[in-house]
RNA sequence: GCGGAUGUAGCUCAAUGGUGGAGCGCCGCACUGUGGAUGCGGUGGUUGCGGGUUCGAGCCCCGUCGUCCGCCCCA
């Protein structure tokens, strides 16, 4: 290990096993996104810093982004999130796009923060957005997509839940409590942190915001009120749609969910694991009706969320929902090399078989058959072929089913059929 | 960026301040036309790195880097 150049801090190596999980996860995102009619898109991985300075949080840009000068001394940012790129892409072609837009994306992002469990500096994120529709039913669709993803990955409502609230509703309630327009955004931060602080510290924090003890008590009562949503037509319609979409089991109202980002304007939602070991949000999003106008487009409402790959993978691992045997060879058939004289004949046999559409791995050089069979076993092959002098003289080949140890000697032109049978799990020899 | 732990073979971990080990893995042999099992043998390390204390440091001290757990932030 001494002379190996270390990897960049916070990055991950994807060995075949991890890579197959990554591909599988991407596939699930695709499957679920497309099942609701969403189209895949992608933005650049590199952006100017200005794109984020316009909209994203101060901390995200200044503290948590990878920023460096290129050879022309322009400041380049490795994208920390996708929404600004999406907003630009929409604004640039606003006139020629068909709304509502249903778009999804899956790609790498970078944030310069302290790596720890569930957080790395380079991660993959599934983004999905519905743009151009302001109805609560649009938010319900996004939440239904999220629920469908959990369902598709084998996570039942007992293990994962989507918590929902509405900022307009909360803003109105805070107004009723007598909080000034200046106090309300801070109150959102206060609410957001309730679970992270001790009750005493949280109370101190609240009183620091000049909440009176009376207001504080009312706020606490507000956050305990699981029926608060009934006071909002938007929420009522939202939950009706959730019901119709068949995902009520996964969704629950929680007055404490407000989300950290400032740009959310309406319904907000967050995927949470109910497992005690995973405390971070699995996914988070909400309605942002002012964002497009903020980057220079015509006003257009939007709603969407992002899901990072790290936490969801931890949860799927913990709940045993990751697919098994992901690290086996894509070629379930190994052609052995009997000896030097039969090397090229074996290569020809493998090439012939590939032409029939089979995935065939060839042992590269002659070796003891025992060693080659062992290798076949290790790479997860299900059939091994032997082309020895006897077989070669008759244009035959020995085909061994590595699952049940059956072995057959067949003419080479019948090999594809037999191999296909073995791979299909039919035991015939 | 702040606080706390930790770092020994490919992996999981042992070793009172006194010559660094085990299990698993890997390779080989038993088995010169056949895998998983078993047995035997072998490969395996500048104890993360750099200083310091000491007759002597894997062990104690300082620094540094990585990892992990919190905080901040958030996917």
């Amino acid at each position: 290990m001494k002379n190996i150049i270390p990897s960049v801090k916070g990055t991950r190596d994807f060995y075949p096993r991890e890579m197959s999980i990554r591909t599988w996860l991407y596939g699930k995102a695709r499957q679920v996104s497309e099942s609701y009619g969403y189209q895949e898109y992608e933005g650049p991985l590199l952006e100017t810093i200005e794109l984020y300075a316009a909209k994203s949080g101060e901390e995200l840009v200044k503290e948590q982004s990878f920023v460096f000068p290129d050879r022309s001394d322009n400041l380049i940012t490795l994208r920390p999130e996708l929404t600004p790129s999406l907003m630009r892409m929409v604004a640039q072609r606003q006139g020629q796009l068909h709304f509502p837009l249903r778009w999804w994306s899956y790609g790498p992002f970078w944030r310069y923060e302290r790596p720890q469990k569930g957080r790395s500096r380079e991660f993959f994120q599934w983004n999905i957005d519905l743009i151009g529709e302001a109805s609560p039913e649009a938010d319900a669709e996004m939440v239904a997509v999220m629920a469908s993803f959990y369902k598709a990955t084998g996570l039942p409502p007992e293990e994962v839940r989507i918590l929902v609230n509405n900022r307009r509703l909360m803003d109105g309630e805070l107004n009723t409590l007598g909080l000034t327009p200046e106090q309300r955004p801070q109150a959102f931060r206060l609410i957001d942190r309730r679970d992270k602080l001790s009750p005493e510290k949280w109370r101190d924090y609240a009183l620091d915001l000049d909440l009176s003890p009376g207001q504080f008590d009312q706020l606490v009562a507000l956050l305990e009120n699981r029926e608060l949503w009934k006071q909002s037509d938007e929420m009522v319609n939202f939950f009706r749609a959730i019901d119709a979409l068949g995902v009520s089991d996964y969704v629950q109202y929680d007055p404490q969910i407000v989300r950290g980002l400032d740009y959310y304007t309406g319904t907000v939602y967050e995927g949470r694991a109910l497992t005690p070991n995973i405390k971070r949000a699995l996914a988070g999003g909400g309605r942002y009706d002012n964002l497009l106008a903020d980057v220079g487009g015509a006003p257009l409402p939007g709603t969407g969320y992002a899901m990072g790959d790290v936490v969801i993978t931890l949860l799927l691992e913990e709940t045993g929902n990751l697919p098994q045997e992901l690290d086996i060879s894509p070629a379930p058939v190994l052609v052995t090399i009997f000896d030097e004289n039969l090397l090229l004949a074996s290569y020809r046999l493998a090439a012939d078989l590939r032409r029939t559409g089979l995935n065939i791995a060839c042992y590269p050089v002659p070796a003891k058959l025992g060693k080659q069979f062992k290798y076949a076993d290790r790479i997860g092959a299900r059939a091994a072929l032997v082309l020895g002098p006897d077989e070669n003289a008759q244009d035959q080949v020995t085909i061994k089913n590595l699952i049940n140890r059956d072995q057959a000697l067949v003419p080479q032109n019948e090999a594809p059929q037999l191999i296909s049978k073995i791979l299909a799990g039919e035991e015939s020899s």
Side-chain angles (χ1 to χ4, degrees), chain A residues 60-310:
Chain A
L60 188 60
V61 179
K62 287 191 174 168
E63 317 259 332
Q64 297 202 337
S65 292
F66 278 89
V67 182
F68 49 86
D70 66 11
R71 292 178 186 277
S72 306
D73 277 337
N74 298 312
L75 282 183
I76 300 297
T77 305
L78 283 171
R79 63 179 188 183
E81 59 167 333
L82 187 60
T83 312
S85 304
L86 170 61
M87 290 300 107
R88 184 194 59 225
M89 288 169 69
V90 173
Q92 280 170 0
R93 300 202 176 171
Q94 204 159 353
Q96 51 183 293
L97 295 169
H98 309 295
F99 295 95
L101 239 43
R102 286 187 164 96
W103 284 7
W104 73 280
S105 185
Y106 191 93
F109 295 85
W110 295 264
R111 287 188 195 168
Y112 196 84
E113 65 180 324
R114 190 82 189 259
Q116 52 186 287
K117 189 177 186 183
R119 285 292 176 269
S120 58
R121 287 185 171 180
E122 181 179 65
F123 56 97
F124 286 81
Q125 205 177 62
W126 174 36
N127 283 264
I128 183 160
D129 292 89
L130 201 167
I131 293 165
E133 181 51 58
S135 69
E137 288 78 9
D139 292 306
E141 175 168 307
M142 295 311 314
V143 169
V145 172
M146 197 191 286
S148 297
F149 178 85
Y150 297 142
K151 204 177 285 188
T153 49
L155 294 165
E158 293 74 41
E159 287 174 343
V160 62
R161 208 57 67 78
I162 304 168
L163 307 179
V164 180
N165 194 12
N166 186 284
R167 280 200 164 199
R168 255 187 290 273
L169 168 63
M170 294 308 285
D171 200 59
E173 293 297 317
L174 295 176
N175 187 32
T176 305
L177 292 188
L179 270 68
T180 65
E182 294 74 37
Q183 279 179 306
R184 279 178 242 154
Q186 293 177 307
F188 278 143
R189 286 189 70 73
L190 172 71
I191 294 169
D192 194 41
R193 291 188 192 179
R194 189 177 181 202
D195 284 341
K196 294 175 180 170
L197 299 174
S198 65
E200 299 75 30
K201 283 192 172 181
W202 191 70
R203 187 187 163 88
D204 291 345
Y205 186 2
L207 299 182
D208 281 348
L209 297 182
D210 285 336
L211 266 67
S212 70
Q215 285 175 321
F216 177 78
D217 292 341
Q218 285 177 291
L219 179 63
V220 170
L222 197 64
L223 298 182
E224 303 294 336
N225 183 2
R226 303 264 148 189
E227 307 294 313
L228 188 63
W229 62 276
K230 290 179 177 169
Q231 298 175 29
S232 157
D233 287 346
E234 202 178 343
M235 283 276 87
V236 169
N237 287 328
F238 170 87
F239 279 106
R240 275 188 195 145
I242 286 295
D243 198 36
L245 289 165
V247 293
S248 314
D249 288 355
Y250 282 94
V251 187
Q252 95 191 27
Y253 178 74
D254 186 339
Q256 216 168 293
I257 298 296
V258 292
R259 305 289 307 155
L261 293 173
D262 289 336
Y263 57 70
Y264 291 125
T265 55
T267 299
V268 288
Y269 31 89
E270 191 170 299
R272 287 268 190 85
L274 301 185
T275 328
N277 295 345
I278 292 173
K279 291 170 184 162
R280 295 179 183 282
L282 299 167
R287 172 160 293 286
Y288 48 90
D289 285 347
N290 303 328
L291 223 50
L292 200 72
D294 288 348
V295 298
L300 201 61
T303 177
Y305 66 86
M307 183 194 77
D309 70 314
V310 184

Side-chain angles (χ1 to χ4, degrees), chain A residues 359-416:
Chain A
N359 290 357
I360 307 289
C362 230
Y363 204 85
V365 291
K368 290 168 83 170
L369 280 182
K371 189 175 177 180
Q372 299 191 57
F373 270 74
K374 194 168 186 173
Y375 177 76
D377 207 42
R378 294 292 148 87
I379 64 171
R382 285 148 69 195
L385 273 54
V386 178
L387 184 67
D390 301 341
E391 290 91 344
N392 191 47
Q394 317 264 341
D395 284 330
Q396 293 178 317
V397 60
T398 295
I399 299 176
K400 181 164 185 177
N401 182 333
L402 292 174
I403 307 296
N404 63 14
R405 315 190 121 189
D406 285 348
Q407 187 168 307
L409 182 63
V410 301
Q412 287 182 15
N413 57 19
E414 290 176 20

Side-chain angles (χ1 to χ4, degrees), chain A residues 305-318:
Chain A
Y305 66 86
M307 183 194 77
D309 70 314
V310 184
V311 182
I312 188 72
T313 303
L314 283 174
L315 177 63
L316 291 169
E317 172 101 65
E318 184 180 308

